[in-house]
Amino acid sequence: MPDRPFVSLTTDFGAAYTAICAGVIYSIAPSANVLVLSDEVTPYAVTEGAMLLRQALPYLPAGVHVGIVDPGVGTPRRPVAVVTGRGDVLIGPDNGLLPPAAEVLGGAVHAYELADPAHRLPEVSTSFHGRDIFSPAAAHVANGLPPAELGPRVPPTALRPLRVPPVTKDDDALTASTLYIDRFGSLVLAARRDDLPATPAYGTPLEVTWTTRDGTPRTIRAPFAETFGSVAEGEPLLWVDSSGWLGLAVNQGSAAARFGLASDAVLTIRPATEE
């Protein structure tokens, strides 16, 4: 509703600290409609948080969206507000968290550093900028403050991008890094279906290879499948998630636990050889 500005919160804080941020927003903008999109981002996992924002925000009402996954809190990294082409204002640290979401919301049109003390809490800690800087800024914008009044202009091109290792591919193989591991233990990769060799049909068997942390090569076979239920319970598959990323999963299980994979895993995928 026009008289209830929409604010979302995405953090790696857990419930209690995120609730404090929501309370700060309500205390400054009591009419705001505040949604906690997630307080369960893996701690310090900027890429995971960025991908969640990118996936979710197009489906949320236009408004003020706060993202806080900030391992550099208290350092000289900038706190920023980014105005998007859709009209949203994204607020969070300038550490790569916000640009992917801005891109799918019409691009970053303007950006500002959150520097004006009038739009912070009176005392700013070195370790809880979510409470002391980001949430107050979001609340003031929700109340109608023009983002330009938050602080100096930052050229959108100067925002720190999210750095994801590029896909490497040839006619026979695709090598891609892991963006994040979701709560089901599935690995979401920085690759698309079209990156796969020969764009396989559903049911095509593939080989997935990686090197374990002790330097041992490991290979498994998994079909390229349309749904988890296309394979038996407990069996692996490669699939395309709801955001279009390629992933490795286990039907009703955890690929990460089953195969000892972590969020820094780099996988090579190629057509399976005949057995």
Side-chain angles (χ1 to χ4, degrees), residues 58-152:
Y59 299 95
L60 272 57
V64 185
H65 304 292
V66 184
I68 314 168
V69 183
D70 192 16
V73 63
T75 71
R77 66 92 188 90
R78 286 180 296 208
V80 293
V82 180
V83 181
T84 73
R86 193 178 79 161
D88 305 85
V89 180
L90 312 183
I91 289 177
D94 182 17
N95 64 359
L97 180 68
L98 304 179
E103 180 182 1
V104 297
L105 295 174
V109 179
H110 304 292
Y112 305 94
E113 184 174 359
L114 309 182
D116 189 336
H119 308 304
R120 299 178 169 190
L121 292 191
E123 296 184 8
V124 175
S125 70
T126 59
S127 60
F128 200 178
H129 287 185
R131 177 194 66 192
D132 303 333
I133 297 177
F134 299 130
S135 295
H140 287 296
V141 172
N143 277 341
L145 180 79
E149 295 189 23
L150 293 169

Side-chain angles (χ1 to χ4, degrees), residues 18-236:
T18 303
I20 293 171
C21 293
V24 169
I25 293 169
Y26 279 125
S27 68
I28 297 170
S31 66
N33 183 1
V34 180
L35 169 72
V36 176
L37 174 61
S38 178
D39 57 21
E40 296 180 331
V41 176
T42 301
Y44 320 120
V46 174
T47 298
E48 179 183 331
M51 291 300 104
L52 173 59
L53 292 170
R54 182 185 184 278
Q55 178 182 27
L57 295 192
Y59 299 95
L60 272 57
V64 185
H65 304 292
V66 184
I68 314 168
V69 183
D70 192 16
V73 63
T75 71
R77 66 92 188 90
R78 286 180 296 208
V80 293
V82 180
V83 181
T84 73
R86 193 178 79 161
D88 305 85
V89 180
L90 312 183
I91 289 177
D94 182 17
N95 64 359
L97 180 68
L98 304 179
E103 180 182 1
V104 297
L105 295 174
V109 179
H110 304 292
Y112 305 94
E113 184 174 359
L114 309 182
D116 189 336
H119 308 304
R120 299 178 169 190
L121 292 191
E123 296 184 8
V124 175
S125 70
T126 59
S127 60
F128 200 178
H129 287 185
R131 177 194 66 192
D132 303 333
I133 297 177
F134 299 130
S135 295
H140 287 296
V141 172
N143 277 341
L145 180 79
E149 295 189 23
L150 293 169
R153 184 183 297 272
V154 176
T157 54
L159 294 172
R160 181 176 178 180
L162 183 69
R163 301 196 182 280
V164 177
V167 167
T168 59
K169 56 183 178 177
D170 55 32
D171 293 338
D172 298 316
L174 155 72
T175 299
S177 61
T178 302
L179 289 172
Y180 63 95
I181 297 174
D182 72 15
R183 70 185 304 268
F184 298 101
S186 303
L187 278 73
V188 179
L189 306 177
R192 304 286 186 172
R193 176 177 181 171
D194 291 346
D195 293 320
L196 285 168
T199 314
Y202 292 126
T204 301
L206 300 171
E207 287 185 353
V208 183
T209 303
W210 67 93
T211 301
T212 64
R213 289 185 170 179
D214 65 4
T216 304
R218 178 86 189 275
T219 300
I220 62 169
R221 289 172 64 97
F224 182 59
E226 186 173 12
T227 66
F228 299 113
S230 299
V231 302
E233 183 177 338
E235 292 301 311

